[in-house]
Amino acid sequence: MSEKKFYITTAIAYASRKPHFGNTYEIIMADAYARFQRQMGQDVFLCTGTDEHGQKIEEYAREAGMTPKAYVDRVSGEIKTIWDLMGASYNRFIRTTDEDHVKTVGKIFDRFYRNGDIYLGHYEGWYCTPCESFFTDTQVVDQKCPDCGRPVKRAREEAYFFRMSAYAPRLIEYIKTHPGFIEPISREREMLNNFLLSEEGLQDLCVSRTSFSWGIPVTHDPKHVVYVWLDALSNYITAIGYDPDKTYEEQSEEFRALWPAQVHIIGKDILRFHTIYWPIFLMALGLPLPEKVFGHPWFNAMEEKKNGDGEEVKMSKSRGNVIYADELAELFGVDGVRYYALAEMPYDQDGRISYYNVMNRYNTDLANNLGNLASRTHAMTTKYFGGVVPTPAGDEGPDSDLKATVAHAVEASKKDFEGFRFADGLSEIFGMLRRANKYVDETMPWALAKDESSRARLGTVLYNLLETLRQAAVLLTPILPTTAEKIFAQLNTDKTAYETVSAFGALASEKPLGDASPLFARMDEKVIDNLIAKKAAEAEAAAKAAEPVVEPAHEPEIKIDDFGKVELRCAKVLACEKIPKAKKLLKLQVDLGYETRQIVSGIAKFYQPEDLIGRKVVVVANLAPAVLCGEESRGMLLASGEDEIRVVFLDDAAKPGDRIH
């Protein structure tokens, strides 16, 4: 048997729409974890991909005027492009429309059916199309999905069911005897109390559908398609060559080297499927369970406030606050996006995102802290030592404290990264970098450079800073791979392996540095101001375009003779002023060519007097006089609109008194 590999998976992304930043977080996190484990010497296999079947996709494809396959080809391609842009170092990108997956899922369903795990029945209950999930009467509140909060609809159809209840006691015992199988621990309690140990007990699961056709057909009953969750969850074993016709011991060496997976990294919203249904499917197949299922939190959108203190709001296109990772990368670079995703998301609580928040963290941590330290350390070494790494000459002053801070960051960040606490680990590393910047202020290399007798001390200070940067680059390699490579190139070092941070001082002395280049350019908030204004305008335009066109109420039909009784003429506005104590009214003096008249109009909310003086307008010249707020009005201006009034203006060539026909 081949040596055991380290198998990591993400949930496969649903190929319905372009993934927003919250969707993209998962692949960034999984990739960082995979890169970290590779640093630790593990032979990592990272699997990700797209979930491409189901009723929702069938409906989206119909709306787009496309076949379901053409639709998912497009969306899956878009998802893969974003994953690649984010630097995801996956070993397989599986699609549930892949031929090997489709074939194997069909065989898995057949095996369950032959073994008596699946039976034919009828489903009647509540169905949530966006979640592709069924719910009982007790789970649904006010006809809303308990997972996503959107409306559910009543459904009844013939379906195959999996006997979940037969395996529930075994799964409960497994969870209780395998601490850490579900993390964070709060998620374990949720699964046990809300589902497995609830009064209702674990219900049998619907595993086929007949109300739509976009799915993998059930071999012996092709009017049914395999329900999306059995289809999608199976990707973790179909991707690595599982054969349903064989026992675990009979599987290929490659499969047994990878399975069971070390960890499934998923969103907290699909924990039930991965910690209850998936383990039971595996038990029924006679396969060992994955070592861990980690349910990460979500990213929630924030109001755009420059100080980052905005309230959380729902991310939606209509609000114009949907943030995409590829758009962020255009502003902050890929490593800037990766850093924000991992530094801002707590271990077990939701993270928050807004453009201003990304900018503030980017400027503070990456540009000012890391970027500034790298820039001035390289510049001082070039200026004072000709760009050659100096030889240290012993500790004094704050040297020991800096080294102790570095050693602590190495140990703490490793422990944090191993436990999926990426924000905590990054806090340790960037705390180390802040200590290094403080060290510069304490030692004042520019002052040491003025005294030849302090040259050895100056060399020690600069060496300590260069070595701190090298260690930071090693620690940041899983998070900021491109930036780490730039730092290594600037230091001209091959000491990039993780074991080189076990002790301070691996950077070779008396060796020239590489060329300097800025790591992160500070972001001007005006760029973000303009972007937010643009997105708000686009959202407003899209909302208006999406508004249904409602035919207005009409007046009774009139004949041409009736219309001919309305005398419309061109008039030039000679003077205009507001009427005291009448906020809505303006008083206009207009020239009709043959006389001057006064007209009072309720347009003060929309026009200032100076907007009208000298303009040519259309007036109803034969309207009976009226008195408004004590002012006589002889005529009426033509204008359009209800909530927003717009006066009808004529071309400058029009002559006062001309009849409008």
Side-chain angles (χ1 to χ4, degrees):
M1 179 177 174
S2 60
E3 186 178 346
K4 186 74 176 77
K5 297 182 180 181
F6 202 95
Y7 186 29
I8 304 169
T9 76
T10 71
I12 50 177
Y14 200 45
S16 56
R17 292 285 192 270
K18 176 181 178 178
H20 57 62
F21 182 79
N23 306 135
T24 310
Y25 164 74
E26 186 171 298
I27 188 63
I28 294 173
M29 178 190 182
D31 177 71
Y33 187 69
R35 289 174 183 268
F36 170 74
Q37 290 297 341
R38 291 187 187 110
Q39 276 192 316
M40 298 298 105
Q42 297 287 356
D43 184 2
V44 173
F45 189 101
L46 174 60
C47 185
T48 188
T50 45
D51 174 9
E52 301 181 14
H53 292 129
Q55 184 176 3
K56 184 164 61 173
I57 285 177
E58 189 175 77
E59 292 176 358
Y60 283 161
R62 187 182 304 116
E63 291 171 5
M66 304 171 69
T67 65
K69 184 59 166 65
Y71 184 86
V72 296
D73 283 348
R74 186 189 72 186
V75 178
S76 179
E78 191 170 35
I79 291 170
K80 187 174 184 294
T81 297
I82 294 175
W83 275 207
D84 291 341
L85 174 65
M86 291 296 107
S89 55
Y90 52 82
N91 298 84
R92 167 121 194 226
F93 187 98
I94 186 172
R95 300 176 57 185
T96 56
T97 53
D98 287 345
E99 185 178 349
D100 59 340
H101 175 82
V102 170
K103 182 179 178 180
T104 304
V105 168
K107 287 185 175 182
I108 289 173
F109 193 100
D110 288 346
R111 176 170 170 175
F112 287 156
Y113 185 68
R114 289 195 308 270
N115 293 347
D117 290 314
I118 285 177
Y119 62 92
L120 184 63
H122 281 83
Y123 182 84
E124 184 170 5
W126 299 100
Y127 183 67
C128 176
T129 299
C131 292
E132 302 275 7
S133 300
F134 287 104
F135 298 98
T136 64
D137 289 337
T138 57
Q139 291 173 316
V140 171
V141 179
D142 297 329
Q143 296 187 16
K144 298 289 179 64
C145 173
D147 286 345
C148 73
R150 286 172 282 198
V152 293
K153 58 185 178 183
R154 200 74 182 171
R156 174 180 168 80
E157 64 181 89
E158 182 182 270
Y160 284 95
F161 289 82
F162 190 100
R163 301 181 194 276
M164 289 284 158
S165 53
Y167 292 87
R170 182 175 163 188
L171 178 59
I172 293 168
E173 178 64 19
Y174 184 90
I175 293 173
K176 289 182 175 180
T177 56
H178 288 77
F181 171 60
I182 303 174
E183 286 191 10
I185 187 62
S186 59
R187 314 268 192 250
E188 177 186 303
R189 291 193 293 266
E190 178 187 348
M191 293 302 103
L192 286 171
N193 297 334
N194 294 358
F195 297 100
L196 291 168
L197 300 177
S198 67
E199 290 185 11
E200 194 175 49
L202 186 59
Q203 303 296 301
D204 289 349
L205 179 69
C206 174
V207 291
S208 78
R209 300 293 304 280
T210 58
S211 58
F212 60 91
S213 60
W214 179 237
I216 299 173
V218 172
T219 306
H220 70 276
D221 195 352
K223 68 176 180 291
H224 289 257
V225 295
V226 179
Y227 184 45
V228 65
W229 283 109
L230 174 55
D231 172 7
L233 289 165
S234 298
N235 93 88
Y236 303 127
I237 53 177
T238 66
I240 55 174
Y242 174 66
D243 185 345
D245 295 329
K246 296 179 180 179
T247 66
Y248 178 68
E249 290 71 21
E250 295 170 336
Q251 298 293 325
S252 67
E253 285 193 10
E254 181 67 14
F255 180 84
R256 285 179 291 138
L258 287 166
W259 194 263
Q262 269 62 44
V263 62
H264 293 319
I265 297 175
I266 62 165
K268 64 179 183 179
D269 55 322
I270 53 175
L271 200 70
R272 171 165 53 103
F273 305 100
H274 284 79
T275 60
I276 297 178
Y277 303 146
W278 178 231
I280 286 177
F281 290 154
L282 291 170
M283 289 176 177
L285 292 171
L287 295 177
L289 273 55
E291 293 183 11
K292 188 183 301 294
V293 179
F294 183 80
H296 64 74
W298 291 343
F299 263 106
N300 297 322
M302 294 169 58
E303 291 179 291
E304 291 292 352
K305 297 288 185 68
K306 293 187 179 183
N307 60 7
D309 292 334
E311 296 295 323
E312 289 185 11
V313 292
K314 184 178 180 180
M315 194 178 289
S316 68
K317 289 186 177 180
S318 62
R319 291 178 181 267
N321 64 354
V322 177
I323 297 177
Y324 297 103
D326 54 342
E327 293 178 355
L328 280 179
E330 291 179 6
L331 296 170
F332 303 102
V334 170
D335 276 5
V337 177
R338 288 173 63 98
Y339 177 73
Y340 185 86
L342 296 167
E344 191 69 18
M345 179 71 88
Y347 171 72
D348 59 358
Q349 296 179 1
D350 290 347
R352 307 198 303 171
I353 183 169
S354 71
Y355 284 107
Y356 284 121
N357 219 36
V358 177
M359 179 195 71
N360 290 337
R361 185 176 275 280
Y362 173 90
N363 283 342
T364 300
D365 293 355
L366 298 180
N368 293 354
N369 192 356
L370 173 57
N372 185 51
L373 179 66
S375 176
R376 61 177 176 167
T377 300
H378 192 287
M380 288 188 292
T381 306
T382 300
K383 182 177 180 179
Y384 303 135
F385 288 88
V388 175
V389 179
T391 300
D395 292 349
E396 60 179 88
D399 297 359
S400 296
D401 185 62
L402 173 65
K403 293 180 180 180
T405 303
V406 172
H408 172 79
V410 170
E411 182 179 353
S413 64
K414 179 182 179 182
K415 183 178 179 181
D416 287 332
F417 290 174
E418 285 175 338
F420 304 98
R421 296 180 180 271
F422 287 98
D424 295 338
L426 285 169
S427 179
E428 295 287 352
I429 296 168
F430 277 79
M432 173 185 86
L433 293 170
R434 283 191 295 275
R435 180 65 188 90
N437 276 300
K438 181 181 178 184
Y439 177 80
V440 174
D441 296 333
E442 291 170 336
T443 57
M444 296 188 293
W446 51 89
L448 294 172
K450 296 178 180 179
D451 185 352
E452 186 60 30
S453 65
S454 300
R455 185 164 179 78
R457 176 61 185 154
L458 174 61
T460 300
V461 167
L462 292 178
Y463 180 87
N464 289 343
L465 291 171
L466 292 167
E467 170 66 358
T468 299
L469 280 167
R470 188 196 65 81
Q471 295 223 10
V474 173
L475 301 181
L476 289 171
T477 293
I479 316 299
L480 311 177
T482 302
T483 302
E485 286 299 323
K486 288 181 179 180
I487 294 173
F488 293 141
Q490 290 185 27
L491 297 175
N492 191 24
T493 181
D494 59 359
K495 302 298 182 181
T496 62
Y498 194 86
E499 54 264 27
T500 64
V501 297
S502 59
F504 197 91
L507 182 66
S509 300
E510 305 306 325
K511 187 177 179 181
L513 295 175
D515 294 335
S517 60
L519 299 180
F520 300 98
R522 185 175 175 82
M523 176 61 65
D524 188 334
E525 71 175 27
K526 290 181 180 178
V527 175
I528 306 301
D529 294 343
N530 294 336
L531 175 64
I532 292 170
K534 178 184 176 184
K535 290 180 75 72
E538 290 173 348
E540 183 179 358
K544 286 184 177 180
E547 289 177 358
V549 178
V550 179
E551 185 175 0
H554 297 289
E555 300 293 340
E557 285 187 354
I558 62 173
K559 296 181 178 180
I560 189 66
D561 292 342
D562 295 322
F563 178 74
K565 295 176 183 179
V566 181
E567 186 181 341
L568 302 176
R569 292 191 180 275
C570 170
K572 182 177 181 180
V573 181
L574 301 176
C576 181
E577 60 181 307
K578 295 181 179 180
I579 298 176
K581 298 183 180 180
K583 295 182 179 179
K584 297 181 179 180
L585 301 179
L586 290 179
K587 182 170 63 175
L588 299 88
Q589 305 300 322
V590 301
D591 175 18
L592 280 165
Y594 54 87
E595 68 178 23
T596 299
R597 288 191 188 182
Q598 177 172 291
I599 294 177
V600 177
S601 181
I603 57 173
K605 180 180 177 181
F606 308 99
Y607 293 94
Q608 296 296 318
E610 56 268 24
D611 297 332
L612 299 167
I613 296 173
R615 304 292 296 274
K616 291 177 181 177
V617 297
V618 179
V619 301
V620 180
N622 62 336
L623 188 67
V627 177
L628 303 174
C629 289
E631 296 286 350
E632 183 183 40
S633 179
R634 296 180 59 216
M636 178 185 292
L637 267 64
L638 250 60
S640 64
E642 295 179 6
D643 296 331
E644 191 170 347
I645 303 300
R646 288 289 174 259
V647 171
V648 176
F649 293 110
L650 294 174
D651 189 273
D652 286 342
K655 297 178 181 179
D658 281 353
R659 184 79 182 261
I660 310 296
H661 299 283

